[in-house]
Amino acid sequence: MLNIDLRKIYLFQPVEPAPDPASLPAAGDLYYECLECTTVLNSVPHIKCACPCGNLSGGGGQMKVMKPERVRVVRGKLK
Ligand SMILES: [Zn+2]
C-alpha cells in the first residue's frame, strides 16, 4: 500500500461543473478526493491503493468507489 500525501506534490483544483456521481470521469490527471477522510487518490491507480475509510479502493488502472456522492473530482498539477 502506498501512502503518500499527494497534496505535497500536486496542486488540486475541483473539476467544474462537478461531474455526475453516477459516472465519475477517470484520467491520468484526475484525482478523487474522498470527502469522508479527505484522502486524495489518482482516478487511474496503477498501484494498489485505498483510502483509510474504505470509500476508495483501486489498482490495475481501476478505482472502485463505494460512495460516489462522497467523492470530489479534482485535477492535479505538479507544483
Ligand atoms: Zn476515504
Side-chain angles (χ1 to χ4, degrees), residues 2-7 10-47 49-59 61-77:
L2 195 66
N3 279 315
I4 295 173
D5 186 356
L6 292 175
R7 287 183 186 82
Y10 294 95
L11 276 175
F12 291 110
Q13 289 196 314
V15 171
E16 302 280 356
D20 184 352
S23 58
L24 293 175
D29 66 338
L30 294 182
Y31 296 76
Y32 295 162
E33 179 182 4
C34 176
L35 299 178
E36 301 282 334
C37 67
T38 74
T39 300
V40 176
L41 294 173
N42 192 272
S43 64
V44 189
H46 295 291
I47 300 165
C49 63
C51 73
C53 80
N55 186 18
L56 303 173
S57 62
Q62 294 264 322
M63 182 64 88
K64 208 169 113 193
V65 183
M66 302 300 283
K67 295 180 241 173
E69 69 283 356
R70 298 295 293 149
V71 167
R72 178 184 292 138
V73 183
V74 295
R75 181 167 279 115
K77 269 192 210 164

